[in-house]
Structure formats: structure tokens, C-alpha cells
Amino acid sequence: MATQTSSGGGDGSGAQQPSPPAPSAIFIQRDFSKGTTPRFATTLPQQLASKISAEQFAHAITQINDVFEEAEAPSLSLYMTNVLSCLTGHLLQFCVENPYEKRFREVSALTEQLNQQVFGPKGLRMVDPLRRGLRAIEIQVLNVAV
Amino acid sequence: MNATAVSSSSGSSSGGGGGGIGGSRKGTSKASSSAPSVSGTGNGSSSSTKRQASRGAGAHGNVHDDGEVKASHSAVVVMPEQEHAHPKVYEVYTGKSKLWCGGRCITGDNYGAIIFSWIMILLASTLFFVFTAPFLWRDLSPAVVIICAYLLYTVVANLLWAGLTDPGICPRALREEGDNIIRLPHTKPNTRPPPRQRTAMINGQEVQMRYCFTCHQYRMPRDTHCGVTDDCVDTVGKGLAKHPGVPVVVFITFVTFFPISGLVTFHVALVRSAVSTNESLKLRFDNVESPYHRGHPFKNAVYTLFGPLRPPLMRWRELASLYDLMHQHREPRRKQRRRR
């Protein structure tokens, strides 16, 4: 997996080690400007500037944000399910899966896909935000020459 | 995902917190090639501190680089597993909550209140169904008794639900994640305490996020550190217990009206104005509108009561190695306490 990661000289060339060492992982922070729905900042951190273009990065993060936004959007069917769940004393929860769980899986799949298509080829690796409790998206700098 | 496991190059399956499941297995297999895996597990704590140091300082830790790469190709090799080689999240959990039934149920560590509640509910309802219900059934209408039975059922179901499910615990972060977030590029890790607060702008309104020294993170805007669980918890998910409507209504019918009515009114007002109980008690949005307001009190109420419910962020029954929680039970807790 990411076993190639190193803590220093993140860009794979030992020659650059004397310059400010790139951290092995960069944490993309939550963006709370629109409330507590999980959103992550789409601005490219400086440490990654040499690795990936700002647009590409923003596009990737936005894709993740969109899934969460959809997950927390109110919908009539969800309201109906939850009302029913209330009336049955939450028994319904054993029969019907929380749609939010599906979104979690969607995010995991999306992370995989982004890793393969966007981050992987650049020597980066994105960690499923759920692995960090939706606090941050960890982007790891792999120490592998690509 | 496994930067942490890796940067330490320790490759120990239980010490390398960052390892995903595959990662930790690889770690083990690698350990088998370079060092006996037992030692890898044994000095888990030391390796994790080493990991912190090397990673935090952004130092050069890639001694085993080639070995690691090779190991990732021979990932199939799995060492014979020791006990707890692959613990679940609930097994390495360090907070004060108690986990039951293999991580399916969670309670606090103080049972007095909940036992008292159960006794009161069961006592009152037993008395009602033994002495009063037969007369109501015969003289008034069976419907009354049936409705009461349903209400009792919802009370029991809701109390079980409220008492046994995850209150919205936020997973603790690795120490170095906290360091990474708060560290300026030129500072060394752990050399000075992080700024206590950070400001988030939420819908144009400033909200303070405090740094939590136990959980190594800035508490999310609606979270608070709970003394009962010793974790940061979401005050909205269950703090203002999700779907409070049913139990509250039931209690009115069931117990007496007056002691509860105040609480009901209070919480209806809170739900309408999109403020959690906790925020209200701390006067967070005393003179201003809550930044979480959805435009209309009714919308707030419906969204709070029946809107999407975020599943627990602690994935109790999944492998701890996936969630970077492995090292935590190795960190001396007294030290943490003092820092807080």
C-alpha cells in the first residue's frame, strides 16, 4: 500500500532533503463556512503545489464534498423513513439501512478512484476521510519515484 | 494511508497505528524478514514514539525503504497471529465509555441514573397495568389501554436506544496529527502548546473551536469534550437526543405533566431556533441567531427531529488498524491528563 512513504524528502529525491523537508502527510482541514456538514477546504496546500495542480485538487475535494452535501440534504423520503422509525420505536433501523452509511461507502469508493486516477500517478495518496473521523483528509506524500 | 506505520519503519503490526489492514499485515511480513515479529509487537510503544518523533520532525526515517517496497509485493505472507494481533476499534478504545456485545452497545461507566430511570418506568407501568388498566379496559375503552401500551413500548424503545447507542463520539486523533495541524512550518513538534482556540466562520458568524488536548484536535463547532465518555462528542446528534419528540410526548402522558412541561417547552424552543442544549446552557448564541438556523423555525424542527442522522464516526466493529487508533492504549494516560 503506502508502505513506500517516508517521513522526509517527500518528493522522492534525496538531493532535495536539505531544503525544507516535505512532511509525509498533509491534512486538508474541514471548511465550516456552510455549517457542520462535512466539507473540506478546496484550496491547495502549499506543500502540494509542486505535485498537483490547484484545479485538479479542488475538483477532487469538491467531489468528496458533494457526496456529503447530498448525504445531509433534507429529503422527503428520508423524513418519512425517520418518522416511521420513530413510530416503531426505532425498530425500522434494523430493517432499513441509514442512507448515510451508503454515502460513507460512496466516499470510500470515490477515494479509491481518486487515488487511482488523480493522486496515485502524482505520488500522492488520499486517505478516506472517515479514517480520520471526518476531521480532515490526509494526503500522504509517497516516497516513490513515479 | 499508512504514512505513519511506515515512517517509523517499525513495521510492527500493533505499534504501527497508521497501517491499514493490508499495511499492518505487510508490516508483519516485513518484520518477519528483518526482525522477529514478536519484538515488533513488544516494543509497540517505543516504536510509536519513534514514529511520532521521526514523522513529526519530518526527519529521515526511511532506512528500510527498499525492504518496505519489497514487502508490499509479498503482502500475502501473514505471520501466525498473536492474540489481539488485529483488534477491533472497540477493543483499543481509550475513553471511559463501556462497550458491550462486541462493540454493538455502548454505555457510560455510571449506571445509577439509568437504573433509576428503568425502575421508575417499570414500576409505574406495572402498577398501571396491574391495577388501573383492567378497569379502563372494561369500563372506558380497550383503546385507552392499547394506546398506553404502545406509549410504554416507545418509552422503553427510546430509552434503550438513547442509553445504548453511540452518543456521537469523535475518534481521537493521533498526537502527530494534532501537531501537524497546528505546527508552523519552521517549528519543531511538541515544543510548545498549540493555540487554544481557532475561529471558524459559519454562515458569516464566528464560532470558536477549542483545541482538545485529549483528542488532539480542534473540537468541531458543535462538539464538546464530555466528561462521561472522556471523548469529544457531537452535541447535536444525540446531545439534544435525536428525535426527542416521541419520548418527551410520552413522558407527558405517562408520568405527570408539570415537571416535564418546562423541559418540553425549553427543548421545543431550542429545536425551533436550532441551538443544542449544550450551546444554550453555555449561552453560545445568547443574543444572536444560531448560525445553523435553516431559515424557518419549522424547518429547524423538522430537520432536527427527522433529518439525516450521521452514523457513528467510531466504527466500533471494524479493525482498529484502519483507524489509526492502535497506539492510543499504549500512550500513558496520566501524562495526557496532566497536559489537559
Side-chain angles (χ1 to χ4, degrees):
Chain A
M1 232 181 264
T3 354
Q4 303 86 345
T5 333
S6 88
S7 36
D11 23 25
S13 50
Q16 289 196 5
Q17 283 228 350
S19 64
S24 61
I26 287 116
F27 291 89
I28 313 300
Q29 295 300 300
R30 281 274 290 271
D31 169 12
F32 291 105
S33 59
K34 292 187 181 161
T36 47
T37 303
R39 290 181 90 251
F40 298 92
T42 52
T43 44
L44 181 67
Q46 260 190 340
Q47 300 98 315
L48 293 179
S50 60
K51 297 269 183 187
I52 186 169
S53 78
E55 298 83 49
Q56 238 180 339
F57 180 81
H59 180 66
I61 302 288
T62 311
Q63 276 179 281
I64 300 241
N65 289 345
D66 287 347
V67 179
F68 282 117
E69 194 164 331
E70 219 174 302
E72 303 225 343
S75 82
L76 193 62
S77 67
L78 184 67
Y79 284 149
M80 300 300 283
T81 320
N82 283 346
V83 169
L84 266 181
S85 175
C86 249
L87 291 178
T88 58
H90 304 292
L91 271 189
L92 202 68
Q93 287 184 1
F94 293 104
C95 318
V96 182
E97 195 197 23
N98 185 349
Y100 214 130
E101 291 280 2
K102 209 187 286 173
R103 303 294 177 193
F104 276 172
R105 286 199 295 276
E106 212 173 295
V107 168
S108 303
L110 185 60
T111 315
E112 280 302 306
Q113 189 197 333
L114 287 172
N115 272 334
Q116 278 174 13
Q117 295 173 358
V118 183
F119 292 105
K122 318 241 179 223
L124 301 174
R125 187 192 159 77
M126 178 195 247
V127 178
D128 185 347
L130 195 59
R131 298 269 184 266
R132 298 286 173 273
L134 303 184
R135 291 185 299 274
I137 296 184
E138 182 178 346
I139 308 254
Q140 298 174 344
V141 182
L142 306 185
N143 186 26
V144 95
V146 201
Chain B
M1 139 180 14
N2 323 355
T4 45
V6 169
S7 47
S8 73
S9 311
S10 70
S12 73
S13 67
S14 55
I21 170 176
S24 56
R25 281 194 183 156
K26 273 166 224 157
T28 323
S29 70
K30 196 221 80 195
S32 73
S33 63
S34 59
S37 70
V38 188
S39 77
T41 342
N43 52 23
S45 57
S46 74
S47 75
S48 81
T49 45
K50 203 171 76 189
R51 166 163 50 88
Q52 280 182 7
S54 68
R55 182 184 176 190
H60 27 267
N62 41 2
V63 192
H64 293 292
D65 242 1
D66 296 345
E68 302 258 6
V69 176
K70 252 180 249 157
S72 72
H73 292 301
S74 58
V76 215
V77 186
V78 181
M79 286 298 290
E81 296 180 4
Q82 292 116 350
E83 206 183 343
H84 286 300
H86 301 293
K88 304 271 177 65
V89 169
Y90 76 91
E91 289 172 308
V92 302
Y93 169 71
T94 42
K96 285 201 279 184
S97 304
K98 294 272 176 293
L99 275 299
W100 305 95
C101 308
R104 286 183 189 86
C105 299
I106 180 170
T107 61
D109 60 352
N110 184 352
Y111 308 107
I114 193 78
I115 288 174
F116 179 72
S117 307
W118 278 118
I119 289 175
M120 292 313 281
I121 289 173
L122 295 181
L123 195 68
S125 52
T126 313
L127 291 178
F128 173 80
F129 281 105
V130 169
F131 294 109
T132 319
F135 295 100
L136 289 176
W137 183 282
R138 199 185 58 211
D139 296 339
L140 192 58
S141 158
V144 177
V145 180
I146 292 171
I147 291 173
C148 284
Y150 172 70
L151 291 178
L152 175 65
Y153 161 69
T154 49
V155 168
V156 169
N158 275 289
L159 194 60
L160 279 177
W161 181 83
L164 294 178
T165 56
D166 190 311
I169 294 177
C170 299
R172 293 183 186 179
L174 284 176
R175 170 85 163 277
E176 60 248 48
E177 180 182 328
D179 290 344
N180 196 313
I181 291 168
I182 54 195
R183 183 162 39 103
L184 297 172
H186 59 272
T187 53
K188 281 183 185 163
N190 307 336
T191 47
R192 58 169 193 185
R196 299 299 155 98
Q197 290 201 337
R198 165 192 275 191
T199 309
M201 289 294 282
I202 299 177
N203 293 325
Q205 194 172 322
E206 280 186 9
V207 174
Q208 297 299 324
M209 299 164 67
R210 300 210 179 128
Y211 190 78
C212 178
F213 286 94
T214 308
C215 306
H216 304 302
Q217 57 186 284
Y218 284 96
R219 280 174 216 142
M220 305 217 184
R222 307 195 86 172
D223 290 0
T224 184
H225 193 84
C226 169
V228 176
T229 61
D230 198 22
D231 279 305
C232 283
V233 283
D234 185 0
T235 61
V236 188
K238 265 177 81 186
L240 197 177
K242 192 79 178 179
H243 313 177
V246 175
V248 166
V249 170
V250 168
F251 267 87
I252 296 171
T253 327
F254 225 81
V255 197
T256 63
F257 183 75
F258 287 107
I260 304 294
S261 61
L263 271 180
V264 175
T265 324
F266 174 57
H267 279 94
V268 167
L270 289 184
V271 167
R272 275 169 50 92
S273 51
V275 177
S276 77
T277 316
N278 187 283
E279 285 162 351
S280 142
L281 293 179
K282 290 182 178 165
L283 306 178
R284 283 281 155 76
F285 309 114
D286 205 19
N287 295 314
V288 286
E289 191 178 72
S290 157
Y292 312 107
H293 207 283
R294 306 187 81 81
H296 190 280
F298 182 72
K299 273 191 198 165
N300 291 333
V302 172
Y303 191 84
T304 314
L305 296 180
F306 304 115
L309 179 55
R310 197 179 299 167
L313 293 178
M314 292 294 283
R315 317 299 285 174
W316 295 108
R317 292 173 54 71
E318 291 184 28
L319 286 171
S321 52
L322 286 175
Y323 292 91
D324 245 5
L325 298 165
M326 308 266 298
H327 75 294
Q328 289 187 342
H329 63 315
R330 295 171 187 283
E331 231 175 81
R333 280 190 62 176
R334 244 182 312 127
K335 223 172 173 182
Q336 281 188 354
R337 285 272 166 84
R338 233 184 295 132
R339 288 193 67 203
R340 187 149 47 97

